[in-house]
Amino acid sequence: MLPKVKLLEELTESGIIAVIRRMPREQIIPIAESLVDGGVSAIEVTVDSPDAFLVIEELSDQLKGRAIVGAGTVIDSESARLAIQSGAEFLFSPSLHEEVIRMALRYGKVVMPGVMTPSEMIQAIEWGADMVKLFPASVLGAQFVKDVKAPFPHVPVVPTGGIHLDNAASYIEAGAAAVGVGGSLVHAEAVQTKDYTRIQRTAEQFVSIVNGARQSLSLSDNMR
């Protein structure tokens, strides 16, 4: 089991947390391999996917040492416990649930609840959340991240929902620790045609964009 600090480092290393939701079971491993080959360091399997806990277990074994695997759409303590027992190293929720946070803390896993307001952000941190998932990010936008990071610079924010190649950089430049990406990374058409090369190339594009935004942000900070 990786220590919490190491988990947090790996979770945000590439800046991209890939979301796999309701994909054909037989394609999940090649999809995940393509994402990792493209530079993604964290993969989330949503628990509303078929055989989600078995998939998490298989991916955790398959990607050990190359990427960390976690569970998404976790909204109750039982799902959280089953995900952790299956090998999930992090738990993500679309909403704020204290019992999910408590379960993750009990087992030393990273937990990121979904929030949409400054009050929810602080409540999540007070309950012990490691980071917060700004969801749906498409409703609030990158400017919201920038504005909320001013009074709460200590709160790691991960926007998710509506992130694509054209706006990922703006969220990182606004202060996001990483971004969660689903459909614009794991294209439905690429899955249907089993075009795993396309998925890998898209992953490479996302990682490159995030790296560029981080470098730009670092240069800007150094010039102040």
Side-chain angles (χ1 to χ4, degrees):
M1 183 178 73
L2 292 172
K4 179 75 76 74
V5 172
K6 183 63 175 174
L7 284 176
L8 286 166
E9 287 178 357
E10 292 199 17
L11 188 63
T12 58
E13 181 182 354
S14 69
I16 301 295
I17 300 166
V19 181
I20 295 180
R21 181 186 298 275
R22 299 173 188 164
M23 295 294 163
R25 172 77 182 276
E26 68 278 5
Q27 288 186 256
I28 290 179
I29 286 181
I31 288 171
E33 290 279 4
S34 299
L35 292 168
V36 174
D37 288 344
V40 172
S41 60
I43 295 178
E44 168 192 336
V45 177
T46 63
V47 298
D48 58 351
S49 300
D51 300 318
F53 302 116
L54 288 174
V55 169
I56 290 170
E57 185 175 0
E58 290 174 0
L59 281 183
S60 296
D61 290 338
Q62 183 77 15
L63 303 178
K64 192 172 184 179
R66 294 188 290 150
I68 60 171
V69 178
T73 318
V74 181
I75 59 174
D76 59 79
S77 59
E78 181 61 13
S79 296
R81 184 182 64 82
L82 289 171
I84 291 169
Q85 289 180 337
S86 299
E89 297 286 6
F90 60 85
L91 303 177
F92 288 178
S93 304
S95 41
L96 183 57
H97 304 276
E98 185 177 9
E99 64 270 27
V100 173
I101 296 173
R102 286 180 175 177
M103 187 64 69
L105 292 175
R106 184 177 302 166
Y107 290 97
K109 304 302 180 182
V110 171
V111 60
M112 187 190 307
V115 300
M116 206 176 180
T117 68
S119 295
E120 287 181 334
M121 290 173 65
I122 294 304
Q123 182 66 82
I125 296 300
E126 288 179 350
W127 282 344
D130 299 290
M131 315 173 83
V132 296
K133 172 181 174 178
L134 189 66
F135 179 82
S138 57
V139 175
L140 299 167
Q143 186 62 45
F144 179 85
V145 176
K146 184 176 181 179
D147 291 344
V148 83
K149 287 290 288 184
F152 304 139
H154 60 292
V155 179
V157 178
V158 178
T160 305
I163 307 297
H164 48 75
L165 289 169
D166 294 330
N167 66 9
S170 64
Y171 283 101
I172 298 298
E173 290 168 353
V179 290
V181 191
S184 59
L185 174 55
V186 185
H187 305 277
E189 182 182 339
V191 173
Q192 287 180 340
T193 59
K194 298 183 179 180
D195 188 353
Y196 304 122
T197 299
R198 179 181 175 184
I199 294 174
Q200 179 180 335
R201 288 174 179 168
T202 305
E204 290 170 348
Q205 287 180 283
F206 268 108
V207 172
S208 178
I209 286 171
V210 168
N211 286 337
R214 285 174 168 175
Q215 290 173 6
S216 175
L217 192 60
S218 178
L219 287 172
S220 177
D221 289 342
N222 289 336
M223 293 174 65
R224 290 177 184 172

